Structures are given as structure tokens and as C-alpha cells.
Amino acid sequence: MNVNSKITGTFYTPLSLANYMIQYVFARHEIQTVLEPSVGNGIFLEGLTKQACAIDVVDIDHDALNEISVKCYQNVSIINENYLEYAYACEKKYDLIIGNPPYVRKKYLSAHDREISRTLTDEYELSQTVFQNLWVSFILCSLRLLKEEGTIFFVLPFEFLQVQYPCQLRGELEKRFNTIEIITFEKTPFPELEQDVCLVYLSNISKHDPEIKYKTVDSCEHFVPVKEGQIKRNKPLSKWSNAILVDDEMDMVNRLSALYPTIASLGDTAPGIVTAANKFFILNKEKIHDLNCKEHILPIIKKSSYLRNLLIINEMDFKRLDEDSEDVWFLNLANKSEDQFSSELNEYLLSDVTQNIKSGYKCRHRVKWFWVPVTQRGDLLFFKRYDMIPKLLVNSIDLYTTDLAYNVRIDKEKYDPNSVAFCFYNSLTLLCCEINGRFYGGGVGELTPTEFKSLPLPYQKISKNDVEQLESMFRKGTNYHEITNYVDSIVLKNLTSKELECLRSIRDTYLVRRIYQRRT
């Protein structure tokens, strides 16, 4: 793969992958007319021209089209035009639209392309938030040019399957196509690309029940399936990445989840402090001493790694961080005037380093740029990004956090913080973290506030001895399987052994995809 430019979004497709896509489609459909809307270096033409069909290729890059034209393909029409404009002017309809659309974030697009893209989202009655990247516009343009029983087959970023902003687009596609097939890779076809990709096949087959199929293959050199899923009953599917399951598995998860209250029922959940400049506002003890500002600081956690292998955060844990000179003190200057500050602190606020900070969006919209709003502390802290296992910790010493964590303030007359944290580490709740959330390169998982609050929690009051046992297991670095098995034995003891085995097996499937597969 040659990475041409992040600005133009050009990432050339491996020949083996293009040929696989072509063979995949032509084995299923009678195709007479084909459109390749971002032909680039012409890699798809190598296989398309071997088929008995008329091919139109579009690209805005004149030089790339010149290189294609010298090859004198007999059944190819070359169109040097912006695809967004072409889609509005063209009256022709196609049996197949195939290719690898450019991945260009909205901020890098011209005002003209942004306007066309906004018009497209309006045309399909989608929210403007759907349009965040040029590949979204390419999908919508392709809907305009596709025959009623035509097929779209694109290389798309994996985020399309799982993130929130294209959710409405996924819903629109489910309405329009009864056959949706997703193909992902254990070994990414684009190792230099900063995100994973997938193949998305959209078609309509006569007298076919609507379904979403999900298949993981070894690589773009060996298209051997290693995992397959299929969803029919549980449509529409809010995240297509969950088609890795089958309907029976999804039915069971939904049934068990409905037995328990959600985390939202515990109380209030809100993100931590947004400083807009953590390196400036969050300091270690030496810097606090140098600035002579001890009366203006609050204890804070800015990294989840500071609290690794913990269930309950205590005074000794924080003291250890402070003694190790970690940045755990927040400059709380809100609603205070400079005459209350030491000369050293005032000098710090006037230093050269503040020039870029003051002009940032958050800081320049404050009454004073250094007046950082302080949010309430939580009884429990949930770190929105996680690796092997999500973290919900008891905040027994009233620490503040940055917005890397959600602060959960519970109704203590109904719920015990230690018990809530204990119950969180059961197989059902941890599985729903995977189902509700999304992941990024390297296997980092993430939950938005809404996704976190919707998690089922089989709450019950836990004995002091059991809480201490789990805390000890965390501090010893016990394997997460042993941790969840221990919690399950107390919290999910009403489930059958078959149900527990299924929950654990499904979660392992998600972990293989999110963590192990992403690191190959």
C-alpha cells in the first residue's frame, strides 16, 4: 500500500484484495454496468476488465487518469470529475459500484464539497452529524446512482461499523438493502493506515430475508474464514460490528440484560474535569512547591495507568503516586484573582508556554482562561478507555479526575459503592461493555457516557469478606478470567452453567477481535 496523502485520503488497495472483491460480486450477480468512483491507480480495473461489462471510472486526479488511459482498456470510460458533482449530474444507473473511497475528514474538504455533502445528508433526511468524512458522501452518492437491485461493495474504515456518527446511515442502509455482508481481517490489509478497515457489501436479493452477515478472514492474501456470524431477528442492529454474533447469542444477552437494572439507575454520571491543557494545570509535588501554590490545588487522577490493579483507591495508593512525583495535583484557580496568587504562580500564568493555551477553544471561552470549571467527584470512577478489562473503582478518598473518567455519584441509601464495584466485574456486564462500546487501533476499548449508563448491573449487597477477597485478587494481578469467575459465582449464581459458559465464550470472541487480532 502506498499512503499518498492524509489530505486526499488516498490509500491504494492491494491487488489481491481488489480481485477478491470482484470475484465475490461477479459470482453472485449478472452485472452489465460498473462504476468505480475513485479509480486512483486503477487497481480494480485489472480484474474488472476481464469481466464482460461496461465500466465507468471517475477520479478528480487528472494525472492518475492519464496513467490509466495509456493502457487503452476497451470497455472502460474515463471520467475526470469530482464524484460528488458527477453523482448529481449523471442520469445513468449502475448494477455495481465498487472501490475504495477516499477517507478525508470533513475539516480537510473544500467548502464546495462540504456543501454538497450537507445537501446529500438532507436529501436522505439524515442528521448533519452523519457527515464527518468523505467516505460517507461517497456512500450517499452511490445510492443515487445504483439500480434498484444493484450492489455496492466498498473498502471502508472499521469505525463505520461501530461508532455513533454514522449510526443513522447504517439504519438507512438496512432499510434499502436486504443483504449486508461485512468482511474483516485478522491481519490488516493496510498496515500503515492508522485504523482498521473492512469490506462492506450491500445488495438486494429477490425473496431474501433481511440479514447482516459478518465474516473474519485471515488476510487479504488468504481469505480463509476464521469466524462467522449472522443476524436476522435482531435487526435493525445499532452497531454492525455486533453481527459477529448469531441471533441465538444476541437473544440470550438481551434476555439476561433485561433481568437487571442499568448503571443509570444507580444515580448521576458525568465526565471529570476538562482542563484543555493537562500538562499545564496538572502538576507534581515539586512543581507545586516551586509555584508556592499549595492552597490552590486539588488531588486528581489523569491516567488510568496510575490505578492499575485496584478495586478501591485508598490514601496509601495516592500517597505512593505523590511520592513518585507523578502529576496528581490540579491547579484550582476558578473564581480567584491574581492578587491571591504567589509571585511564582503569577509568573507561571504569564510565561511563554501559556500563549498557545490561552488561544485554545476551551480556554478562550472562559471568563478567565485559567478558570477551569470543577466538576463534582464521584463515589465510583469508570475509565472510559480500557485494555483487557474495563475499570470501575471505588473512590474512597474523594479524588477528582480529568475527563478520562466518568464520575458516578450513587444513591448511598440504596447502594453500597463497594458492592457496586464488585458486581460490575461479572461476565454479563463486561460482555455488554464490548457490545455497547467500540475499539480503536491497538485494541483500546471505549464507552461513551450513554453506552456506559445503559450497561446492565446485577447488583446485590456484597459481604465485606468477599469485597476484600476481590480487592486482593486485583492487587495481586490475578488473571481476569479468575476475577470474573469469582464474581460470577456470587453475582450470577442464578444463571445456568450453560448460560455462564456462553457469556464467557462470547466475550472471549470480542476480546480476540479487539485485542489479540488488532495486535497481529
Side-chain angles (χ1 to χ4, degrees), residues 39-246:
V39 68
N41 64 350
I43 200 72
F44 281 89
L45 285 177
E46 298 294 324
L48 287 172
T49 53
K50 297 175 183 177
Q51 307 295 329
C53 58
I55 306 162
D56 291 348
V57 298
V58 178
D59 207 291
I60 200 170
D61 187 338
H62 183 267
D63 292 336
L65 292 179
N66 279 342
E67 291 183 20
I68 291 171
S69 65
V70 300
K71 297 182 180 180
C72 300
Y73 293 117
Q74 295 299 309
N75 55 340
V76 176
S77 297
I78 297 174
I79 303 159
N80 186 196
E81 197 170 338
N82 181 332
Y83 182 55
L84 275 60
E85 295 176 351
Y86 176 78
Y88 269 99
C90 179
E91 296 182 0
K92 188 174 181 180
K93 301 292 183 180
Y94 296 90
D95 296 310
L96 170 65
I97 302 177
I98 189 170
N100 183 1
Y103 305 171
V104 187
R105 289 196 292 176
K106 178 170 67 174
K107 69 178 183 179
Y108 294 127
L109 296 176
S110 68
H112 177 65
D113 284 353
R114 288 199 297 270
E115 182 57 34
I116 296 177
S117 296
R118 283 190 286 267
T119 302
L120 280 164
T121 54
D122 288 343
E123 180 179 325
Y124 289 97
E125 299 181 348
L126 304 175
S127 167
Q128 290 293 322
T129 58
V130 169
F131 166 53
Q132 298 294 329
N133 200 294
L134 188 57
W135 57 259
V136 171
S137 306
F138 266 60
I139 293 175
L140 295 177
C141 283
S142 299
L143 294 180
R144 301 184 97 256
L145 299 177
L146 194 68
K147 289 182 179 179
E148 186 174 344
E149 295 189 358
T151 298
I152 295 173
F153 202 9
F154 277 165
V155 182
L156 293 174
F158 189 91
E159 70 173 28
F160 168 60
L161 306 179
Q162 56 172 351
V163 299
Q164 183 62 34
Y165 76 82
C167 181
Q168 280 189 324
L169 176 57
R170 293 194 295 265
E172 179 67 20
L173 296 175
E174 282 199 56
K175 292 176 186 176
R176 290 175 173 268
F177 299 99
N178 63 18
T179 303
I180 299 171
E181 298 183 20
I182 297 153
I183 300 168
T184 65
F185 302 87
E186 281 204 331
K187 301 179 183 70
T188 177
F190 301 97
E192 298 174 47
L193 192 57
E194 294 176 355
Q195 57 181 313
D196 295 308
V197 301
C198 61
L199 307 184
V200 177
Y201 168 94
L202 308 165
S203 191
N204 280 304
I205 300 175
S206 298
K207 299 179 181 179
H208 187 79
D209 292 334
E211 66 177 359
I212 302 177
K213 288 185 176 181
Y214 189 104
K215 177 168 62 177
T216 299
V217 299
D218 177 68
S219 68
C220 68
E221 300 296 335
H222 303 96
F223 291 91
V224 179
V226 294
K227 172 65 181 177
E228 295 184 83
Q230 183 182 43
I231 297 294
K232 287 187 176 182
R233 292 193 301 273
N234 289 281
K235 290 175 84 286
L237 199 60
S238 62
K239 296 177 187 290
W240 287 2
S241 52
N242 288 331
I244 194 172
L245 304 182
V246 297

Side-chain angles (χ1 to χ4, degrees), residues 367-397:
V367 177
K368 290 188 177 182
W369 69 270
F370 54 83
W371 283 12
V372 178
V374 178
T375 59
Q376 288 183 279
R377 293 165 289 192
D379 304 303
L380 298 133
L381 308 177
F382 178 79
F383 294 93
K384 64 182 181 181
R385 291 185 176 175
Y386 47 87
D387 189 11
M388 181 66 73
I389 192 167
K391 294 180 181 179
L392 181 70
L393 309 181
V394 179
N395 186 12
S396 69
I397 55 173

Side-chain angles (χ1 to χ4, degrees), residues 438-468:
R438 74 289 315 278
F439 65 87
Y440 301 98
V444 175
E446 181 181 62
L447 285 166
T448 67
T450 299
E451 292 163 348
F452 170 65
K453 287 187 282 189
S454 68
L455 296 173
L457 186 75
Y459 176 80
Q460 59 182 266
K461 186 70 169 64
I462 304 299
S463 73
K464 181 181 177 181
N465 287 341
D466 287 334
V467 171
E468 289 176 350

Side-chain angles (χ1 to χ4, degrees), residues 283-341:
L283 308 170
N284 62 23
K285 63 179 182 178
E286 287 82 9
K287 188 65 175 179
I288 294 301
H289 178 268
D290 292 344
L291 297 179
N292 190 18
C293 62
K294 287 186 177 180
E295 66 271 32
H296 304 302
I297 59 175
L298 296 172
I300 194 168
I301 295 298
K302 71 171 187 177
K303 292 182 180 179
S304 62
S305 59
Y306 286 173
L307 306 177
R308 184 176 286 114
N309 295 337
L310 297 181
L311 178 69
I312 301 172
I313 311 160
N314 61 40
E315 291 283 0
M316 289 301 297
D317 297 321
F318 185 79
K319 184 178 180 181
R320 191 176 302 111
L321 292 171
D322 189 32
E323 290 175 347
D324 289 343
S325 293
E326 299 290 1
D327 297 334
V328 291
W329 297 107
F330 163 60
L331 279 178
N332 177 30
L333 309 178
N335 303 311
K336 299 175 183 178
S337 61
E338 289 88 332
D339 59 10
Q340 297 175 262
F341 304 156

Side-chain angles (χ1 to χ4, degrees), residues 491-518:
V491 174
L492 297 181
K493 60 185 177 183
N494 60 315
L495 302 190
T496 67
S497 58
K498 183 177 181 180
E499 287 170 331
L500 282 173
E501 182 181 347
C502 189
L503 288 176
R504 292 164 183 167
S505 175
I506 296 171
R507 182 163 183 264
D508 284 345
T509 295
Y510 274 92
L511 287 179
V512 166
R513 182 181 69 181
R514 177 167 69 83
I515 295 178
Y516 303 117
Q517 179 177 317
R518 298 304 116 189

